[in-house]
């Protein structure tokens, strides 16, 4: 992770990259300059992760309130196990713990949470978790402060698998992360503080799935007090904060849990803060204005805002993290033209990813395939990707090949396609339309509200071509198995390819890193051949924090901004 003090150069690079596009146009010269800039950005993003941006320290002051933003699926009902969007977990995160978690102060390494240790058998089929003793749920009905046990962890993983004994059948499609836990064969709780998980076959990403935001432990009696067996209001957990106030699409606040079970490295009681507040923002400019007005202590940012914010707000801390949000165009196999691989490949070849990364990604994005830069243990090299058709520059060769494929497929005169976008994506539409002009493809674009229409329509496959942005975990399987495997719950375009399936399954079953890297890279090559999804770019996440905020961590892991609340502290200001 880059140190915050070194990021002024990053801000300048972002600003220069965007300005170059705006003032130089999109001709060949500008495109080539963009290519070199994006190479630099991609290399720097893959090299990050060495040091924490905000080193963990013992608080010099206690009390106060940390205010953070949320702009996605917000608040109640907010069952973390069935929430499809990363931001939708915000309400539950300060209130709960996971079995394991990602350490935001150590390059997102997997670290203990409720489990104090875990072991994996040599054959990769058995996982044994040992839990901390004396951990108690919040003192609220119907749980009433009882002790957490291994049965609670077992119940949580049963819900994650959409086990019919603990969920209603009608909700099963909403438990999309069941794929992450589908290799589980059984669980045993030999005592109150031990959970043994048996897998049907080796599954390399299992521990990553357990550690991800959203795999939060919930008490069974709390969930099942609701007739629908999903959380409809409130939240009870073992976490550092207790729900205090909630107003839909306005504010969620949390008060300190005085009986929290964790201590800092010197034995001091956690959390340091008295309160955490999450403010809802319907649009990005309002969020930035609130940060400038000191109504927010932390905010996520995009490329164009970093330089002026750093200039106008002395002492503001700046954090970047690897690209864990991907922007793609997804083809629906129900639409005849997209049943032809030649059409899908033609569109893939016509897309100029460097333009997208610079203009839409605003200097914080890098071109990506399905194995993104975030998966640095498995990813192909920068050089390899940027030499592939659809990624290479200049675009002349790719455009010529795309025209040939369209003619061969019988679409020399192009066609019109419905294209589904969520709101605030006008630049995406105009840029994609411009890039598809050589193929005579016309977009009949439709922009719809994200939560109300885009999410249900996209997930139900009610589109021909769809813009989609996905948060991914730190493991490649969150893309490969979740989005590309035949029959996967997030395979919204209903694509199927036995060869790609075989490669994806081989990488997920691999026992060694070397073997897994081999099959993951082969899966990426196959995806670029059959092209069910046109992967365009991966965003780097960036956060700004005011100087009085401490222990903010390395930067934002998708859906985990509230992670910092456990050990963050604020100076009086």
């Amino acid at each position: 992770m880059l140190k915050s003090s070194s990021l002024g150069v990053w801000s300048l690079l972002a600003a220069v990259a965007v300005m170059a596009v705006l003032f130089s146009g999109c001709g060949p010269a500008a495109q080539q300059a963009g290519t070199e800039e994006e190479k630099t950005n991609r290399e720097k993003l893959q090299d990050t992760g060495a040091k924490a941006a905000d080193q963990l320290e013992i608080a010099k002051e206690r009390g106060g309130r940390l205010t953070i933003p949320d702009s996605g699926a917000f608040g109640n009902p907010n069952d973390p196990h069935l929430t499809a969007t990363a931001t939708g977990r915000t309400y539950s995160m300060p209130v709960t713990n996971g079995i394991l978690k990602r350490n935001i102060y150590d390059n997102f390494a997997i670290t203990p949470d409720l489990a104090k240790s875990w072991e994996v058998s040599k054959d990769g089929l058995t996982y044994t978790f040992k839990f901390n003793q004396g951990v108690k749920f919040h003192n609220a009905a119907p749980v009433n402060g009882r002790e957490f046990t291994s049965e609670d962890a077992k119940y949580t993983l049963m819900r994650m698998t959409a086990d019919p004994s603990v969920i209603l059948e009608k909700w099963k499609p909403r438990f999309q992360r069941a794929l992450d836990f589908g290799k589980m064969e059984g669980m045993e709780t030999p005592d109150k503080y031990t959970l043994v998980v048996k897998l049907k076959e080796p599954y390399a990403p299992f521990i990553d799935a357990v550690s991800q935001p959203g795999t939060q432990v919930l008490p069974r009696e709390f969930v099942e007090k609701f007739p629908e067996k999903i959380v409809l209001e409130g939240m009870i957990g073992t976490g550092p904060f207790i729900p205090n106030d909630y107003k839909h699409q306005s504010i969620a606040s949390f008060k300190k849990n005085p009986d929290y079970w964790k201590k800092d490295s010197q034995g001091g009681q956690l959390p340091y803060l008295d309160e955490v507040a999450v403010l809802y923002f319907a649009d990005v400019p309002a969020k930035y204005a609130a940060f400038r007005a000191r109504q927010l202590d932390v905010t996520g940012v995009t490329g164009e805002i970093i330089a002026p914010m750093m200039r106008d707000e002395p002492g503001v801390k700046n954090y970047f993290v690897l690209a864990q949000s991907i922007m793609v165009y997804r083809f629906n196999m129900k639409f005849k033209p997209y049943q032809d691989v030649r059409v899908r490949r033609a569109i893939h070849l016509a897309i100029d990813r460097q333009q997208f990364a610079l203009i839409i990604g605003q200097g914080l994005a890098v071109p990506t395939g399905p194995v993104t830069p975030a998966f640095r243990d498995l990813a192909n090299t920068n050089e390899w990707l940027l030499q592939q058709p659809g990624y290479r520059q200049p675009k002349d060769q790719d455009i010529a090949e795309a025209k040939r494929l369209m003619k061969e497929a019988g679409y020399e005169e192009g066609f019109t396609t419905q294209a589904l976008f969520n709101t605030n994506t006008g630049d995406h539409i105009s840029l994609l339309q411009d890039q598809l002009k050589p193929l005579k493809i016309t977009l009949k674009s439709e922009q719809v509200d994200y939560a109300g229409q885009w999410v249900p329509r996209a997930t139900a496959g009610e589109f021909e071509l769809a813009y989609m942005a996905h948060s991914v975990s730190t493991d490649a399987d969150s893309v490969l198995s979740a989005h590309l495997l035949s029959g996967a719950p997030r395979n919204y375009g209903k694509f199927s390819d036995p060869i790609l399936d075989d490669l994806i399954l081989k990488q997920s079953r691999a026992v060694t890193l070397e073997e897994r890297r081999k099959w993951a890279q082969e899966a990426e090559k196959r995806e670029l051949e059959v092209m069910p999804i046109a992967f365009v770019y991966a965003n780097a996440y960036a956060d700004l924090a005011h100087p009085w905020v401490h222990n903010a961590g390395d930067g934002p892991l998708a859906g985990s901004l509230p992670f910092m609340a456990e050990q963050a502290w604020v100076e009086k200001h």
Side-chain angles (χ1 to χ4, degrees), residues 193-347:
Y193 308 110
T194 304
L195 173 66
V196 180
V197 180
K198 305 276 191 179
L199 303 187
K200 302 171 189 174
E201 60 188 39
Y203 183 57
F206 180 72
I207 284 293
D208 177 81
V210 172
S211 71
Q212 285 302 312
T215 314
Q216 305 302 107
V217 173
L218 302 181
R220 185 170 191 159
E221 60 266 47
F222 167 64
V223 177
E224 294 192 350
K225 79 173 186 176
F226 301 101
E228 295 288 299
K229 292 188 177 181
I230 60 171
V231 180
L232 295 177
E233 62 180 358
M235 183 60 62
I236 295 177
T238 57
F241 292 89
I242 299 169
N244 182 46
D245 186 28
Y246 173 77
K247 294 182 177 66
H248 182 60
Q249 293 194 340
S250 176
I251 185 173
S253 66
F254 310 85
K255 62 183 179 180
K256 175 180 179 177
N257 175 10
D259 301 316
Y260 190 50
W261 55 282
K262 285 191 184 181
K263 313 290 184 184
D264 65 25
S265 61
Q266 294 184 3
Q269 181 67 48
L270 293 174
Y272 300 124
L273 298 164
D274 284 339
E275 187 180 0
V276 172
V278 182
L279 300 184
Y280 175 82
F281 291 92
D283 61 82
V284 173
K287 180 176 68 172
Y288 293 158
F291 182 79
R292 290 182 181 275
R294 310 311 199 253
Q295 295 169 355
L296 287 173
D297 297 304
V298 180
T299 186
V301 291
T302 53
E304 87 285 359
I305 199 67
I306 293 176
M309 197 78 82
M310 295 289 287
R311 180 192 65 227
D312 299 339
E313 304 291 330
V316 163
K317 302 173 186 178
N318 191 347
Y319 309 102
F320 282 77
V321 72
L322 282 168
Q324 290 185 297
S325 178
I326 54 173
M327 196 285 289
V328 306
Y329 287 107
R330 194 182 293 259
F331 305 106
N332 194 328
M333 298 305 125
K334 292 189 296 185
F335 186 53
K336 184 178 178 181
Y338 299 142
Q339 295 171 6
D340 194 320
V341 66
R342 294 168 296 188
V343 173
R344 301 195 303 270
R345 282 192 54 78
I347 293 174

Side-chain angles (χ1 to χ4, degrees), residues 1 22 27 48 53 93 113-114 119 131 191 273 290 304 337 360 363 368 437:
M1 191 59 51
L22 293 176
T48 62
M93 294 297 291
D113 203 6
L114 287 168
E119 294 181 356
F131 294 104
D191 59 56
L273 298 164
E304 87 285 359
I360 309 298
T368 188
K437 278 182 180 178

